[in-house]
Each structure stands twice: as C-alpha cells, then as structure tokens.
Amino acid sequence: MNRFAVILAAGQGTRMKSRLYKVLHSVCGKPMVQHVVDQISLVGVDETVVVVGHGAEKVKDQLGDKITYVLQEEQLGTGHAVMQAEPVLKNKEGVTIVLCGDTPLITKETMESLLAFHAEHKAKATILTAKATDPTGYGRIVRDSQGAVLRIVEHKDATDEERMITEINTGTYCFDNAALFEALKHVGNTNVQGEYYLPDVIEILQNRGELIAAFQTANFEETLGVNDRVALASAESIMKNRINETHMRNGVTLIDPTNTYIGAEVTIGTDTVIKPGTALSGKTAIGDNCEIGPNTEIIDSLVGDQTMIKQSVVSKSEIGNDVTIGPFAHIRPESQIHDEVKVGNFVEIKKTIFGKGSKASHLSYIGDAQIGSDVNLGCGSITVNYDGKNKYLTKVEDGAFVGCNSNLIAPVTVGKNSYIAAGSTITDDVPENSLAIARERQMIKREYVNKLKEK
C-alpha cells in the first residue's frame, strides 16, 4: 500500500517570541522539522508533503528539494493546513500519516507502530494517543466499554468526568487518503477561532459508520509539541538524554552525561571517552579510543583514532590519528592536522595543513600555511599571513626547526631541514639545510641606567 506523509509546518509560533520561524528552532543542533522529516524518511513513504507558511523559503532551504511543498497563506487551523495538500494527494490510494513539524521527539518506531496498527484494524482513521500525567489542555480520547473510540473532546468542552481521562490526543494521525480529503470538504469553521480543525474529520468519518482506531504510544515524551521556549528546553533535555544513552550503549564512555552535549548527527567510535563540559555538534565524527574534553567544543569536524583533545575548540577541520591537542588550543576551519601531531596550549591554527609528527607546543599562530612532517615550531612562532588586504601562504618544509618568537612574513618558504634562529623575522625564502638569522646584534651600554638616574 502507498504511504504518504503530511507535515504541518506553517504556524508562526508567536509564543516562541522569536524572529526565527518556529519549526526551525533547533533541538540538539537540528531544526525541529528536520527531526520529523528525517524520522519519516526512515519509515519509508512514497511522498512527503510539508505545509509551509511563515518563513516558507527558509524551511525549503533547510529541507531541500526532495520534499513536496504546499503553501498555507492564511493559518486557518490544522484541517485547513491539510487541505492545502489536496492538489498533491487527493487522487492517490493509500494511507496518509499527518504529523506536526514541532514534535521533534517522535521516532520512526512509533510511526511504524501507528501505521501497522492502522493497517491491522483496517481503520479509516487512527489517532496516536498517549497517557499524560497532567492532561490539562489536551483533547481527551473517550472510549466505550469495549475500548472503541467514541470521540475526541477538547479540554475546554469536556465534562468533569471526561477531564479525569488521562489518554490524550497527540495531534498525529493516520488516514485512508481518499477518505481524508473527501471528509475535509465537510469540515466547517463555526467555532470561536473561525478555524478548520483536523480532529473534526474523525467525527465526520465516525458519523458515517467508519471505523476509528486509536494507538496508544507508551512514551508520552515523544509526543511533546514545542510551542514556547520552556517546551523547547524540555525537548532539548529529552533528546540529549536519548542521544547520550544511545552512544553509551554503543560503547562510548560519558563521564558525566548530564554535562555532555552531543548533536543528533554526531558519530563516535567505541572506547572513546567524553569528559564533562564537552559539546560535539554538526556532522562531527570521532574515531575509536579517543579522549575528548573536558570543556571541549568540536563542530563539523572529523577526528581520527587514539586522539586526545582537551579544553580546546575545533571547527570544520580534519584531525588525524594519535594527535594531541590542547589544552586551550583553537583549530579554525579548513585545517588538516595529520597523524601524530602535537598542538599545545594557546596555539591557534587556521586554514593550515599540518604534517605528520609536527609540533607547535605553545603560544603560536599558524594561519594560511603548509607545514611539512616532523617540523618543530617553537614557542611564539607566528605566520604573518595578512597585509591588511590579502592573505598569503607560508610553507615550512619537512624537518625544519623554527626557533622561539619567530615571525614568518608570508609569502615565504622555509626549506627542508632548515633552522630559524630564535627571535628572527623571516622575509625571504630559506634554502634547504640552512640557518637563517634575522635579528639585530645585541648591544650593551654599560652604566647606562646610572646615567639615567643622574638626570
């Protein structure tokens, strides 16, 4: 049977009090609507339709061109939103799952269970429900003595007895596709808000004698809808715990999971240890047997095996195997740190290839450079790459030794196995196997201080 998905992502989200479109707010580094789309793609559907409104272009930029988009110009309720998908889906046979773009915690397992339950019961509509400890504000699921669904009653319309019901409507549904769009034609807006509500489809189908089913998920947290910053923080916390638990069960040690922040798309190898205060985000991939942290941030970077990074920041770069970075190092974008490199405290590296076995142990800036293998950059080594208008390349070839407090004025090349004397400012290329000294000779003026005092 064909499967379709309609994701409702048109609401402005005024309660977020944000210029950012609601469904684009991130949970563990990924926009909420992207979480929903990614999970439904794992289920396998023939077509996904995203209903957009405010911020439509930004949503399209985020989700890409594999999605079908329909525009809800006026936000006139959930039923009205689904109506916008009619030109795309109305003549197709199959089942349609309707999801909210602000429910980032829902999983493919729950979606698959809902779809399977819907098919097994041959229902025209199936409601995803959950047990809520505090159901205040939610629509209640009213069942008969046999457990069949009688109706959904909104909190404000419920009797005192109905308000005691803890099974709630999550806002996620499965429908027979043809029945859905035929019933939507009969949904009215004679309510206080003047809106067209999707749950009215349930009542319409029920009045026609169609079977309505309800599948109750065991995990209420998955159904959390994010409407404000408080709910956003709750979703972040739940997702963080879920991600951290997954990594730990896959062989990663998190010393303090409560204070470890791992993005939804991060991968980590076995026997790697993550220490407190570490934040891994984007498409970061960490290898096996690494030690990361404490207080380390790694963004969109690749890290090899047996590498140690502590109290440092790495962004959009590649780090090899057996590398030691930190404490207090900064690896900026487009850097490639090869195997067995040591980058020590207060070293900044930017857009640089750093060769195998090379070292910059402390207090250096290496930018726009190509550093060969087995190079030693002494304390205070600086590549002077910027003249105020343009950036220039510095090359330090294999085996070179750069003494402390040296300035390499780019563009410049230091040849293989060459030595740069400490305190030098190098403006010209240095040939292989050479010693370059570029500094003033020391001068001593005896009794000079006494003469100053006499004045």
Side-chain angles (χ1 to χ4, degrees), residues 267-284:
T267 61
I268 307 174
T270 57
D271 293 319
T272 285
V273 177
I274 310 296
K275 294 186 175 181
T278 293
L280 310 175
S281 63
K283 296 186 181 297
T284 290

PDB file of all heavy atoms in Angstrom, residues 267-284:
ATOM      1  N   THR A 267      28.726  11.124  15.227  1.00  0.00           N
ATOM      2  CA  THR A 267      29.065   9.713  15.401  1.00  0.00           C
ATOM      3  C   THR A 267      30.347   9.619  16.231  1.00  0.00           C
ATOM      4  O   THR A 267      31.246  10.453  16.101  1.00  0.00           O
ATOM      5  CB  THR A 267      29.270   8.997  14.059  1.00  0.00           C
ATOM      6  OG1 THR A 267      30.352   9.615  13.340  1.00  0.00           O
ATOM      7  CG2 THR A 267      28.006   9.079  13.206  1.00  0.00           C
ATOM      8  N   ILE A 268      30.405   8.580  17.083  1.00  0.00           N
ATOM      9  CA  ILE A 268      31.546   8.397  17.981  1.00  0.00           C
ATOM     10  C   ILE A 268      31.925   6.922  17.987  1.00  0.00           C
ATOM     11  O   ILE A 268      31.066   6.046  18.130  1.00  0.00           O
ATOM     12  CB  ILE A 268      31.216   8.856  19.415  1.00  0.00           C
ATOM     13  CG1 ILE A 268      30.679  10.288  19.418  1.00  0.00           C
ATOM     14  CG2 ILE A 268      32.445   8.758  20.314  1.00  0.00           C
ATOM     15  CD1 ILE A 268      30.200  10.766  20.779  1.00  0.00           C
ATOM     16  N   GLY A 269      33.228   6.643  17.872  1.00  0.00           N
ATOM     17  CA  GLY A 269      33.718   5.275  17.855  1.00  0.00           C
ATOM     18  C   GLY A 269      33.750   4.644  19.237  1.00  0.00           C
ATOM     19  O   GLY A 269      33.606   5.306  20.265  1.00  0.00           O
ATOM     20  N   THR A 270      33.972   3.343  19.257  1.00  0.00           N
ATOM     21  CA  THR A 270      33.972   2.595  20.514  1.00  0.00           C
ATOM     22  C   THR A 270      35.193   2.939  21.358  1.00  0.00           C
ATOM     23  O   THR A 270      36.256   3.289  20.851  1.00  0.00           O
ATOM     24  CB  THR A 270      33.947   1.090  20.244  1.00  0.00           C
ATOM     25  OG1 THR A 270      35.072   0.729  19.430  1.00  0.00           O
ATOM     26  CG2 THR A 270      32.667   0.687  19.542  1.00  0.00           C
ATOM     27  N   ASP A 271      35.001   2.804  22.659  1.00  0.00           N
ATOM     28  CA  ASP A 271      36.043   3.026  23.671  1.00  0.00           C
ATOM     29  C   ASP A 271      36.565   4.455  23.699  1.00  0.00           C
ATOM     30  O   ASP A 271      37.622   4.716  24.281  1.00  0.00           O
ATOM     31  CB  ASP A 271      37.203   2.033  23.494  1.00  0.00           C
ATOM     32  CG  ASP A 271      36.787   0.614  23.803  1.00  0.00           C
ATOM     33  OD1 ASP A 271      36.049   0.424  24.790  1.00  0.00           O
ATOM     34  OD2 ASP A 271      37.176  -0.302  23.059  1.00  0.00           O
ATOM     35  N   THR A 272      35.861   5.357  23.086  1.00  0.00           N
ATOM     36  CA  THR A 272      36.184   6.779  23.240  1.00  0.00           C
ATOM     37  C   THR A 272      35.576   7.283  24.543  1.00  0.00           C
ATOM     38  O   THR A 272      34.475   6.887  24.928  1.00  0.00           O
ATOM     39  CB  THR A 272      35.666   7.583  22.038  1.00  0.00           C
ATOM     40  OG1 THR A 272      36.528   7.338  20.920  1.00  0.00           O
ATOM     41  CG2 THR A 272      35.620   9.079  22.308  1.00  0.00           C
ATOM     42  N   VAL A 273      36.316   8.165  25.213  1.00  0.00           N
ATOM     43  CA  VAL A 273      35.864   8.729  26.482  1.00  0.00           C
ATOM     44  C   VAL A 273      35.562  10.215  26.274  1.00  0.00           C
ATOM     45  O   VAL A 273      36.409  10.961  25.776  1.00  0.00           O
ATOM     46  CB  VAL A 273      36.938   8.566  27.577  1.00  0.00           C
ATOM     47  CG1 VAL A 273      36.486   9.237  28.876  1.00  0.00           C
ATOM     48  CG2 VAL A 273      37.238   7.087  27.811  1.00  0.00           C
ATOM     49  N   ILE A 274      34.362  10.619  26.643  1.00  0.00           N
ATOM     50  CA  ILE A 274      33.950  12.019  26.544  1.00  0.00           C
ATOM     51  C   ILE A 274      33.838  12.575  27.960  1.00  0.00           C
ATOM     52  O   ILE A 274      33.052  12.080  28.773  1.00  0.00           O
ATOM     53  CB  ILE A 274      32.605  12.173  25.812  1.00  0.00           C
ATOM     54  CG1 ILE A 274      32.613  11.412  24.477  1.00  0.00           C
ATOM     55  CG2 ILE A 274      32.286  13.642  25.600  1.00  0.00           C
ATOM     56  CD1 ILE A 274      33.590  11.916  23.455  1.00  0.00           C
ATOM     57  N   LYS A 275      34.601  13.605  28.241  1.00  0.00           N
ATOM     58  CA  LYS A 275      34.635  14.182  29.582  1.00  0.00           C
ATOM     59  C   LYS A 275      33.666  15.353  29.707  1.00  0.00           C
ATOM     60  O   LYS A 275      33.198  15.901  28.705  1.00  0.00           O
ATOM     61  CB  LYS A 275      36.059  14.603  29.924  1.00  0.00           C
ATOM     62  CG  LYS A 275      37.012  13.407  30.032  1.00  0.00           C
ATOM     63  CD  LYS A 275      38.395  13.806  30.522  1.00  0.00           C
ATOM     64  CE  LYS A 275      39.263  12.571  30.741  1.00  0.00           C
ATOM     65  NZ  LYS A 275      40.604  12.929  31.252  1.00  0.00           N
ATOM     66  N   PRO A 276      33.354  15.755  30.939  1.00  0.00           N
ATOM     67  CA  PRO A 276      32.312  16.776  31.160  1.00  0.00           C
ATOM     68  C   PRO A 276      32.591  18.106  30.462  1.00  0.00           C
ATOM     69  O   PRO A 276      33.738  18.497  30.245  1.00  0.00           O
ATOM     70  CB  PRO A 276      32.324  16.955  32.681  1.00  0.00           C
ATOM     71  CG  PRO A 276      32.872  15.685  33.218  1.00  0.00           C
ATOM     72  CD  PRO A 276      33.872  15.215  32.205  1.00  0.00           C
ATOM     73  N   GLY A 277      31.498  18.790  30.134  1.00  0.00           N
ATOM     74  CA  GLY A 277      31.599  20.111  29.523  1.00  0.00           C
ATOM     75  C   GLY A 277      31.890  20.072  28.046  1.00  0.00           C
ATOM     76  O   GLY A 277      32.138  21.115  27.434  1.00  0.00           O
ATOM     77  N   THR A 278      31.833  18.892  27.432  1.00  0.00           N
ATOM     78  CA  THR A 278      32.142  18.758  26.004  1.00  0.00           C
ATOM     79  C   THR A 278      30.874  18.922  25.171  1.00  0.00           C
ATOM     80  O   THR A 278      29.815  18.410  25.518  1.00  0.00           O
ATOM     81  CB  THR A 278      32.782  17.385  25.733  1.00  0.00           C
ATOM     82  OG1 THR A 278      34.055  17.336  26.371  1.00  0.00           O
ATOM     83  CG2 THR A 278      32.957  17.135  24.248  1.00  0.00           C
ATOM     84  N   ALA A 279      31.000  19.642  24.045  1.00  0.00           N
ATOM     85  CA  ALA A 279      29.893  19.844  23.111  1.00  0.00           C
ATOM     86  C   ALA A 279      30.348  19.427  21.720  1.00  0.00           C
ATOM     87  O   ALA A 279      31.295  20.001  21.172  1.00  0.00           O
ATOM     88  CB  ALA A 279      29.443  21.300  23.117  1.00  0.00           C
ATOM     89  N   LEU A 280      29.696  18.433  21.164  1.00  0.00           N
ATOM     90  CA  LEU A 280      30.005  17.932  19.828  1.00  0.00           C
ATOM     91  C   LEU A 280      28.798  18.211  18.945  1.00  0.00           C
ATOM     92  O   LEU A 280      27.682  17.800  19.273  1.00  0.00           O
ATOM     93  CB  LEU A 280      30.286  16.423  19.866  1.00  0.00           C
ATOM     94  CG  LEU A 280      31.290  15.947  20.922  1.00  0.00           C
ATOM     95  CD1 LEU A 280      31.379  14.424  20.923  1.00  0.00           C
ATOM     96  CD2 LEU A 280      32.662  16.560  20.684  1.00  0.00           C
ATOM     97  N   SER A 281      28.992  18.895  17.825  1.00  0.00           N
ATOM     98  CA  SER A 281      27.840  19.317  17.034  1.00  0.00           C
ATOM     99  C   SER A 281      28.072  19.146  15.546  1.00  0.00           C
ATOM    100  O   SER A 281      29.180  18.856  15.095  1.00  0.00           O
ATOM    101  CB  SER A 281      27.495  20.776  17.356  1.00  0.00           C
ATOM    102  OG  SER A 281      28.558  21.631  17.004  1.00  0.00           O
ATOM    103  N   GLY A 282      26.977  19.355  14.786  1.00  0.00           N
ATOM    104  CA  GLY A 282      27.046  19.237  13.335  1.00  0.00           C
ATOM    105  C   GLY A 282      27.285  17.799  12.912  1.00  0.00           C
ATOM    106  O   GLY A 282      26.847  16.849  13.540  1.00  0.00           O
ATOM    107  N   LYS A 283      28.045  17.633  11.836  1.00  0.00           N
ATOM    108  CA  LYS A 283      28.337  16.305  11.307  1.00  0.00           C
ATOM    109  C   LYS A 283      29.697  15.805  11.806  1.00  0.00           C
ATOM    110  O   LYS A 283      30.467  15.187  11.074  1.00  0.00           O
ATOM    111  CB  LYS A 283      28.290  16.327   9.781  1.00  0.00           C
ATOM    112  CG  LYS A 283      26.906  16.648   9.230  1.00  0.00           C
ATOM    113  CD  LYS A 283      26.850  16.528   7.731  1.00  0.00           C
ATOM    114  CE  LYS A 283      25.465  16.873   7.199  1.00  0.00           C
ATOM    115  NZ  LYS A 283      24.423  15.964   7.685  1.00  0.00           N
ATOM    116  N   THR A 284      29.988  16.086  13.048  1.00  0.00           N
ATOM    117  CA  THR A 284      31.244  15.656  13.652  1.00  0.00           C
ATOM    118  C   THR A 284      31.294  14.137  13.756  1.00  0.00           C
ATOM    119  O   THR A 284      30.304  13.488  14.098  1.00  0.00           O
ATOM    120  CB  THR A 284      31.392  16.285  15.056  1.00  0.00           C
ATOM    121  OG1 THR A 284      31.608  17.694  14.892  1.00  0.00           O
ATOM    122  CG2 THR A 284      32.551  15.692  15.828  1.00  0.00           C
TER     123      THR A 284
END
